[in-house]
Amino acid sequence: MIGPLHQAMPMHPVWPSLIASLTLAVTPLGAYAAPGSTALDLNLPSLGTTAGAELSPADEYALGKQLMQQVRADPTYMNDPEVTEYLNRIGYQLVSHATTHTYNFFFFPIRDASLNAFALPGGFIAVHSGTVISAKTESELAGVMSHEIGHVAQRHIARMIEGQKGNLALTLGSLLLAILAARAGGNSGGHAAAAVAMGSQAAMIQSQLNYSQDAEREADRVGLRTLYAAGFDPNGMGSFFARLQANNRFYESAAPAYLSTHPLTVERMADVENRTQQLPTRMHRDSDDFLLVQQRLRVLQETRYDGWREVEKNLLRELNETSGKDRAARWYGLSVCYQELKDRAKALSYAKRASEVFPKNATVERNLLRTSFEATDSKKEKEAVLARAKKAMERYPLSPMMSSNYLDMLYELGRHEEIVRFLRSGSSAISENNPDYHALLARSYEALGKRSLQFQHTGEMYALLGATEAAVYQYDLAQRASDGDFYTMSEIDARLRELREELKYEKEHR
C-alpha cells in the first residue's frame, strides 16, 4: 500500500514503552455484565464510575489520533495491507462482541520481534510482529488483542485522569518531551528521550502501582469474556500468558516487552485460569490467513538482505518438516521472501504453488497477481494481470488489500485518469477517511499536472493524520496554485479557513 507522500521525523524506539506507561498504569473502570449470559458473567470488581472523568470518548479519540501521527512516522510502523487487513478482521470479530464506548477501532502492526501489544486512547491498538509470529494458535493472538480491547472498553485513560489529576500534566508533558528529544537525533537525543521515559514511568509506577495491577486484571476479565463471545478458544489467553511467563527465566535482565508493560502475577494468571475453567469448552479452528500472515511477518520483520537470506534458509528447511497447509504457507512465505530479494521468477513460482493449496484465499490470490505482474516486462501481459486484479477486487469488494493492489497496478501502468475515476466513484474499499485514499489521489493528480488538487489531497491526508499545521501549508499551496475549477477552488478556500481555525485552537490550548 502506498504510504503518505511525506514522512515526519522518525520517533525513538522508546515510544511504545511510553505509550504503555500511559495506557496501562491507570485507574480501572467499574464492571458491567453481558446481558442474558450467566456463562460470561466474570464478576468484575466495582471500582468506581466514569461520571467525573475529564476526558470524554471524543477527547480520547482525538488524543489517540494525535499520538498515531507519531506512530505512523516511526520506521517500525508497518503499512502493509495484508497484515493490517487481517488484524482488523480479527479485531472487529472481537469488537463486535465487546461492550465498549467506541467502535472506531484501528488495529495495526509494529515491526518488532519482541512480544508485545499496546492500546492508545480512542481504540488504536498496536500488535508487534513478534507476537503474531510466536502465537501457537489464532486464539492466543486473539487473547492478546482482546486484552487490549479491554483496556479501551474500560476507558482506563479516562480513569487515570479522574484519579490522577495531579500527574496528568507530568505524564502527557513527559511524552511530548520524549518525542521532541528523540527528534533531535543522535545519541544525545536518544539518551534524553530514554531519561524522560524513565522519569515518566517511575512517577506513574510510584503513585499508581496498585491501580495498574487492578487495570490489568480488569482487562483480562473483560478480554476473556470478549474472546469467548467472539467464538475463540478461551484457553488462548491463559496459554499465551503461561508460556510467556515460563520462558521468562531465559531473559533475566532483558525481560520480554510484554512482561514489562503488562506485568504478570501469580494471582492474575490463576484468576484467568479459574475463569476459563468456568466457561464451556470451545474449540476454534485457525484460519488459513493466520498461517499465511505468520509467514509473511517472518519475512517483513526483517529489513536487510542478510535477514531475508536467513528466513529463506529456515523456510526451505521447514519444507521437509511440514505438510499440507503448513507447508503451503511456507511456500507463500518464500514467495514474499523472494520478492524482497528481487528474485521475480522464484517469487512467482512459489506463489503458484501456494495458490494450488489455497485456491480461494484472497491473501494468496493477491500475492499471485502481484508476482505475476512483476515477473513480466510485457505491457500486454501486465494488462492481462490488471484485468484479473480487477475481477479479484470485484469478488472482494470490501477488501482494501485488493483495491490497493488494483490501484498500484494502474499507477505502474500510468493510468492516472482511471485511478481518479475509480477512487472518486466510491467503488474502492479504501475509505475517504483513510489517509492513503488522499495520498493515492495526490500522486495521480501530480502526474496529471493538476496542482491545486494535488496539494488539496496532500493536505487532507495530513489533516487525517492529525498534522493540522502541515495540512494548512498544503491547502495554502493549493490556493496559490489556483488551477482548479470554480467548485474546486471554493472547496479549497472553505477547507483552508476551517483548518486555520483548528490550528489556532490547537496552538491556544497547547
Side-chain angles (χ1 to χ4, degrees):
M1 176 68 115
I2 300 300
L5 300 182
H6 306 284
Q7 289 290 349
M9 293 291 289
M11 67 180 175
H12 193 269
V14 77
W15 178 254
S17 64
L18 279 169
I19 294 298
S21 71
L22 174 63
T23 57
L24 299 178
V26 293
T27 305
L29 177 65
Y32 53 78
S37 177
T38 57
L40 298 181
D41 182 4
L42 298 181
N43 189 29
L44 295 172
S46 178
L47 299 171
T49 70
T50 57
E54 295 180 355
L55 197 65
S56 70
D59 291 334
E60 281 189 78
Y61 180 75
L63 177 58
K65 191 174 177 181
Q66 290 177 351
L67 295 174
M68 279 300 295
Q69 181 184 346
Q70 305 300 327
V71 172
R72 285 190 173 98
D74 190 273
T76 63
Y77 176 78
M78 296 180 69
N79 194 23
D80 183 77
E82 284 92 334
V83 179
T84 301
E85 187 164 316
Y86 170 73
L87 289 178
N88 279 275
R89 185 163 62 249
I90 296 296
Y92 271 93
Q93 183 177 344
L94 293 163
V95 169
S96 66
H97 291 86
T99 303
T100 173
H101 65 283
T102 178
Y103 290 93
N104 194 23
F105 281 77
F106 177 64
F107 302 84
F108 59 95
I110 293 291
R111 182 185 290 105
D112 195 315
S114 66
L115 309 186
N116 208 354
F118 58 88
L120 299 177
F124 300 93
I125 294 179
V127 182
H128 285 205
S129 55
T131 302
V132 180
I133 295 168
S134 69
K136 298 298 183 184
T137 66
E138 196 165 37
S139 292
E140 284 195 355
L141 173 60
V144 174
M145 295 172 69
S146 66
H147 174 94
E148 300 306 326
I149 292 170
H151 281 300
V152 176
Q154 296 303 89
R155 299 202 62 209
H156 284 155
I157 296 293
R159 299 304 302 152
M160 178 189 71
I161 291 175
E162 182 181 5
Q164 200 52 25
K165 293 182 177 68
N167 279 2
L168 176 62
L170 168 65
T171 304
L172 298 181
S174 296
L175 288 170
L176 177 60
L177 286 172
I179 295 168
L180 293 175
R183 283 183 174 181
N187 292 332
S188 61
H191 290 180
V196 171
M198 290 174 64
S200 174
Q201 290 185 28
M204 292 302 299
I205 291 171
Q206 181 68 30
S207 61
Q208 285 284 10
L209 179 60
N210 293 331
Y211 291 119
S212 175
Q213 292 171 354
D214 286 339
E216 289 295 344
R217 184 161 50 251
E218 187 174 57
D220 287 341
R221 295 177 181 181
V222 171
L224 181 61
R225 180 172 63 198
T226 299
L227 184 70
Y228 182 82
F232 292 96
D233 181 354
N235 289 291
M237 180 182 288
S239 63
F240 181 82
F241 288 169
R243 184 157 44 80
L244 194 62
Q245 189 79 319
N247 290 341
N248 188 34
R249 66 180 185 274
F250 297 115
Y251 292 92
E252 296 180 355
S253 62
Y258 198 89
L259 295 183
S260 299
T261 58
H262 305 70
L264 290 170
T265 62
V266 173
E267 292 79 9
R268 183 181 158 201
M269 293 180 65
D271 185 60
V272 170
E273 183 178 353
N274 290 336
R275 291 174 186 279
T276 300
Q277 290 176 353
Q278 295 172 18
L279 297 172
T281 301
R282 168 169 287 160
M283 302 299 293
H284 177 269
R285 182 178 179 180
D286 292 344
S287 69
D288 292 341
D289 280 324
F290 173 65
L291 302 175
L292 296 164
V293 168
Q294 279 190 315
Q295 303 310 317
R296 182 176 186 82
L297 282 173
R298 288 177 68 181
V299 177
L300 299 186
Q301 188 170 261
E302 304 294 335
T303 58
R304 300 177 63 182
Y305 180 86
D306 290 347
W308 294 320
R309 281 300 185 194
E310 184 66 21
V311 173
E312 174 201 20
K313 182 178 71 175
N314 291 331
L315 287 172
L316 287 171
R317 174 180 52 79
E318 292 166 15
L319 290 179
N320 299 321
E321 304 167 359
T322 54
S323 60
K325 289 186 175 181
D326 286 332
R327 190 180 193 200
R330 282 157 177 80
W331 286 337
Y332 168 77
L334 281 165
S335 177
V336 177
C337 190
Y338 285 124
Q339 288 176 66
E340 297 297 329
L341 291 169
K342 309 302 181 187
D343 190 331
R344 298 188 299 178
K346 285 186 178 179
L348 177 57
S349 174
Y350 280 106
K352 288 178 177 178
R353 294 190 199 185
S355 68
E356 292 173 1
V357 179
F358 299 105
K360 296 181 179 180
N361 180 276
T363 300
V364 170
E365 184 172 1
R366 183 188 192 275
N367 185 62
L368 179 60
L369 290 166
R370 188 75 247 168
T371 52
S372 297
F373 188 86
E374 293 174 349
T376 179
D377 294 320
S378 164
K379 185 176 180 181
K380 182 178 180 180
E381 291 180 13
K382 284 185 181 292
E383 294 280 359
V385 177
L386 176 67
R388 288 163 52 197
K390 184 177 182 181
K391 289 181 179 179
M393 181 188 61
E394 291 168 350
R395 288 199 305 277
Y396 302 98
L398 300 179
S399 171
M401 172 181 70
M402 285 301 194
S403 288
S404 69
N405 190 48
Y406 176 63
L407 286 163
D408 286 345
M409 290 182 188
L410 283 175
Y411 183 82
E412 291 180 43
L413 291 170
R415 293 163 67 161
H416 300 290
E417 293 283 4
E418 288 183 56
I419 291 174
V420 172
R421 282 198 302 272
F422 176 62
L423 287 170
R424 299 301 291 265
S425 71
S427 302
S428 168
I430 303 173
S431 164
E432 289 185 35
N433 295 322
N434 186 331
D436 287 322
Y437 171 90
H438 297 281
L440 289 161
L441 277 176
R443 69 178 187 178
S444 284
Y445 279 129
E446 180 180 24
L448 293 168
K450 298 182 178 182
R451 300 186 68 219
S452 286
L453 285 165
Q454 171 199 342
F455 293 130
Q456 177 190 17
H457 286 282
T458 304
E460 204 56 39
M461 176 195 73
Y462 277 125
L464 287 168
L465 290 171
T468 310
E469 191 162 6
V472 168
Y473 178 74
Q474 292 294 326
Y475 264 93
D476 186 61
L477 291 176
Q479 189 181 62
R480 291 170 185 267
S482 192
D483 63 352
D485 58 25
F486 176 79
Y487 174 80
T488 298
M489 298 313 300
S490 298
E491 190 177 61
I492 288 171
D493 291 344
R495 182 63 170 141
L496 180 56
R497 288 193 297 272
E498 185 179 272
L499 287 168
R500 281 174 174 163
E501 285 298 315
E502 287 182 21
L503 182 60
K504 180 181 177 182
Y505 179 86
E506 288 177 10
K507 288 183 175 180
E508 289 175 349
H509 291 80
R510 279 177 183 169

